[in-house]
Amino acid sequence: MASDWLGSLVSLNCGPTLGVYQGEVSSVDQSSQTISLRQPFHNGVKCPVPEVTFSAIDIKELKILDIRNGNTRTTSSTVAKGSTVPVAVPKGDPRSVEMNSPQQCSKSYGERHLDALGQPKGFRRRHNSWSSTSRGPNQATPKKNGVKNGQMKNRDDECFGDGMDDGLDTDFDFEGNLALFDKAAVFSEIDTTERRNGARSRGTPQDQTPTRYRHDENILEGKPIVYRQIVVPQPGPKEYCTDSGLVVPSISYELHKRLLSAAERYGLTLERRLEMTGVCASQMTLTLLGGPNRFTPKNLHQRPTVALLCGPHVQGAQGISCGRHLANHEVEVILFLPNFVKMLDSVTSELTLFNKTSGKQVSSIKDLPDTPVDLIINCLDCHENPFLMDQPWYRAAADWANQNRAPVLSLDPPVSGQGHAVEAKWSLSLCLPLPLAEGAGRVYLCDIGVPLQVFQEVGIKYRSPFGCKFVIPLHSA
């Protein structure tokens, strides 16, 4: 009889399109071949409607969760079209608890909520450390301070009871809920939606990928990006580019000297350029030494050591300025500068300031460390006088640098035609790069504050490539 199934809990699998429904059978119509479920769950989620009706042609699989008929309760966990073996157990028989316990561990989220429909409204379960799951149904709660067990239990239920079902004490059925998710159908729907909207689907060429923006990037369409924003009258043999793709051409030393001379006429004196170069070079050096990870109060006992190799020229004065800033930032600086009868005023001034720091000045190669230092800054070379490489002090300093096995930073190195006695890992150029040789290592560029109109005066169309930084890396174009 159709009425024998009323009140039973069933699970209906209607295929990948409609999904799986679970609920209590409210009516069965044999003439129209329909079945209605009361308080249904759809794929583990409670439906917003109180009742749903299904046609027999939509049902792919029927699973009986609980059969309630008269004074007996029949449980089954197999599919209806398979080999179902129902077992009838009278209500109140303790064996019904034993039979239902294994099924509770394998039921899905929606099935456990359906089971809660058959519990009394006043049922409340404790979820404290002394839960009823750790003792039998008739085991008494231990007495405390002479209070009766029943009174204490009622107080605990009123205080700690949450009115929820047994789902908190039951393991979540991941496999059962995963089986309700049809991955193939979902991905097929996603692909169909992407094709309809014109977006790239999986398997299409990479060049058709739609543009993706960062959270801090402007998405409004603007003017086309011009990557060649610096144009020089006489381009050098090399071109570089920044991380953002801007082209930075190299210039000859003659044009570089004209640019600095024009800036000096407008007030950017040599002293100001030395200070700016020293600050940029020291910032780059601090980054190479480890940055904030190295310079912390906990690492004061491990101060980095930097060896400065300077000559009696402007490049040497730039290195001394850099050493002064490094010494002010708790770096152990060892300055090598040979004794000369007469030196440039800029070198003498920078040396006077350096001697007021904790840095150490030496004039002999023998006084330099025998062990490797953290970094060597090479300021031996000069743009104007390439014959310094023949001097004994120069060759001795270059040999010490090559044998020390420490990385070398070359500050304002000369053009590629002069050669490099010391192999550098990094090179820092000023304002605009010179065409450097391969031995210069990775090229960096620093901003020394030359105004825009000064570039225009010497025939350079210029737009700053530095962005928010004063030192940027350059790559060979």
Side-chain angles (χ1 to χ4, degrees), residues 45-358:
V45 181
K46 189 174 182 180
C47 297
V49 295
E51 188 174 271
V52 179
T53 302
F54 301 90
S55 178
I57 60 176
D58 296 330
I59 301 175
K60 308 298 182 183
E61 188 178 32
L62 189 147
K63 181 179 179 181
I64 302 174
L65 305 178
D66 193 358
I67 302 176
R68 300 176 183 175
N69 184 14
N71 295 326
T72 63
R73 176 176 179 176
T74 306
T75 58
S76 175
S77 60
T78 58
V79 182
K81 61 174 65 176
S83 57
T84 304
V85 184
V87 180
V89 183
K91 286 186 178 181
D93 195 307
R95 290 176 297 174
S96 62
V97 179
E98 299 176 357
M99 293 181 60
N100 292 332
S101 296
Q103 296 177 0
Q104 292 292 336
C105 299
S106 62
K107 289 183 178 180
S108 64
Y109 179 83
E111 295 171 355
R112 293 198 302 270
H113 279 270
L114 290 173
D115 291 343
L117 299 175
Q119 295 180 351
K121 293 185 178 180
F123 177 81
R124 301 177 68 87
R125 183 178 181 84
R126 295 171 55 197
H127 295 282
N128 51 14
S129 59
W130 186 256
S131 176
S132 60
T133 58
S134 60
R135 59 183 184 271
N138 298 325
Q139 184 177 352
T141 305
K143 294 183 179 180
K144 183 177 180 181
N145 298 332
V147 183
K148 293 184 178 180
N149 297 334
Q151 297 177 357
M152 179 63 70
K153 183 176 184 303
N154 294 335
R155 290 184 179 181
D156 289 344
D157 289 343
E158 294 176 359
C159 182
F160 300 105
D162 52 9
M164 298 179 66
D165 59 357
D166 294 342
L168 295 178
D169 290 336
T170 307
D171 293 337
F172 185 76
D173 187 6
F174 289 97
E175 295 182 358
N177 283 268
L178 184 61
L180 303 178
F181 176 65
D182 191 348
K183 297 181 181 179
V186 173
F187 285 132
S188 177
E189 182 180 355
I190 293 175
D191 289 342
T192 304
T193 304
E194 289 180 347
R195 294 191 188 96
R196 187 183 301 114
N197 296 335
R200 185 183 72 91
S201 61
R202 298 189 306 273
T204 57
Q206 187 66 24
D207 54 359
Q208 299 180 6
T209 305
T211 304
R212 295 184 179 181
Y213 300 95
R214 301 190 310 271
H215 67 280
D216 58 347
E217 187 174 358
N218 185 17
I219 64 174
L220 299 179
E221 294 185 0
K223 297 180 179 179
I225 300 176
V226 179
Y227 291 99
R228 189 176 293 274
Q229 300 178 357
I230 302 176
V231 180
V232 296
Q234 298 176 354
K238 283 191 174 183
E239 281 190 345
Y240 302 92
C241 63
T242 64
D243 290 338
S244 57
L246 298 178
V247 178
V248 180
S250 63
I251 60 175
S252 63
Y253 176 68
E254 288 73 17
L255 182 58
H256 189 270
K257 186 166 57 174
R258 286 173 48 200
L259 178 63
L260 297 182
S261 299
E264 190 169 357
R265 289 198 307 268
Y266 291 103
L268 189 60
T269 60
L270 176 60
E271 289 76 12
R272 300 180 69 174
R273 298 202 309 269
L274 291 177
E275 189 68 19
M276 195 66 187
T277 303
V279 170
C280 292
S282 60
Q283 287 182 348
M284 180 178 176
T285 302
L286 294 174
T287 303
L288 295 177
L289 292 174
N293 297 326
R294 181 78 179 269
F295 295 91
T296 60
K298 296 181 180 180
N299 289 336
L300 292 180
H301 62 289
Q302 296 178 345
R303 296 174 57 186
T305 303
V306 174
L308 269 168
L309 306 180
C310 299
H313 37 64
V314 175
Q315 283 69 33
Q318 294 173 162
I320 299 174
S321 175
C322 173
R324 170 167 54 90
H325 290 288
L326 291 177
N328 292 336
H329 286 265
E330 301 297 329
V331 177
E332 186 176 348
V333 180
I334 303 175
L335 170 63
F336 169 76
L337 180 65
N339 290 326
F340 295 96
V341 178
K342 186 177 180 180
M343 291 185 294
L344 296 176
D345 293 338
S346 58
V347 177
T348 305
S349 300
E350 291 296 335
L351 190 60
T352 302
L353 288 174
F354 177 81
N355 290 330
K356 299 300 180 180
T357 66
S358 60

